[in-house]
Amino acid sequence: MSNLTVGIAYTSGYGHTRELANAAAQGAGSVPGTVVEMIDVAAMTDDDWRTLDGCDAIIFGSPTYMGSASGAFHAFAEATSARWMSRAWQDKIAAGFTNSGSMSGDKLHTLQYFSMLAAQHGMHWISLGLLPGWNTTAASEHDHNRLGFYLGAGAQTWNDQGPEAVHDADLSTARHLGRRVATHTRRFVATAEVAAL
């Protein structure tokens, strides 16, 4: 089977979400035969659009601002309407991650926004696939999925700290998401290839 390509389509206001994007890319890239393309959607070029069109999977990422994805991500999502009309992303794999300064920060709404965008494009959504961590007295803030999200990866970074302060558990959770997406994409592509024989 040939290489598959996972695109990380993200935007980052202060660098925190970029760190999560890098972690998701590391996770996806750890699956043999996976090529990862990082696309900053705040500065899309024609080449970037062609790259995303050629990806087998796209992981969306944005900080959560005022209860939703950033304005830059919303502008990108609106610009995908040409792909929606042509069904260019039909049957690609999709997933998402987000970060905010607060533990909740209404991150769930951002993940729901990503999953709805994927559904509109006819994509197949991959959940985080982890039980919640840090939810018993014996648990730790260093657990995977310490914030207890299911739809995608949610992270929390203090507003007054730089990108280097992104929590190790959140980075590890983003790496898990990247690996999971690449693994499921490989299975999906292999099944489609067999079905086409």
Side-chain angles (χ1 to χ4, degrees):
M1 185 174 160
S2 60
N3 285 348
L4 61 87
T5 305
V6 175
I8 313 288
Y10 77 98
T11 183
S12 184
Y14 299 97
H16 305 117
T17 309
R18 183 177 59 246
E19 291 300 308
L20 293 167
N22 289 333
Q26 291 166 5
S30 71
V31 176
T34 304
V35 175
V36 180
E37 297 285 354
M38 302 282 288
I39 305 292
D40 183 347
V41 303
M44 293 293 291
T45 66
D46 289 343
D47 284 343
D48 291 335
W49 285 113
R50 284 189 287 271
T51 295
L52 288 179
D53 290 345
C55 288
D56 300 289
I58 301 174
I59 305 176
F60 300 121
S62 169
T64 293
Y65 294 150
M66 304 306 293
S68 188
S70 69
F73 192 92
H74 277 267
F76 159 75
E78 184 175 333
T80 67
S81 62
R83 272 78 190 157
W84 173 81
M85 291 177 69
S86 67
R87 307 317 289 160
W89 294 356
Q90 179 84 26
D91 289 330
K92 291 183 187 294
I93 302 297
F97 61 88
T98 187
N99 178 80
S100 71
S102 300
M103 290 294 180
S104 170
D106 294 321
K107 287 186 275 280
L108 177 59
H109 185 261
T110 300
L111 294 173
Q112 290 170 328
Y113 174 71
F114 292 159
S115 65
M116 181 58 71
L117 176 65
Q120 289 173 332
H121 281 283
M123 302 169 83
H124 302 283
W125 187 260
I126 300 297
S127 67
L128 185 57
L130 287 174
L131 290 171
W134 202 19
N135 63 356
T136 70
T137 56
S140 163
E141 68 172 293
H142 302 289
D143 293 342
H144 278 90
N145 195 20
R146 69 187 182 110
L147 301 181
F149 285 89
Y150 294 94
L151 197 57
Q156 178 270 333
T157 310
W158 308 119
N159 287 334
D160 58 353
Q161 298 293 306
E164 69 284 350
V166 177
H167 201 289
D168 286 343
D170 295 339
L171 293 171
S172 180
T173 301
R175 280 190 288 272
H176 166 85
L177 179 66
R179 271 192 309 276
R180 181 168 163 83
V181 167
T183 300
H184 280 274
T185 303
R186 182 157 295 286
R187 290 175 185 160
F188 183 84
V189 169
T191 300
E193 288 176 350
V194 170
L197 294 178

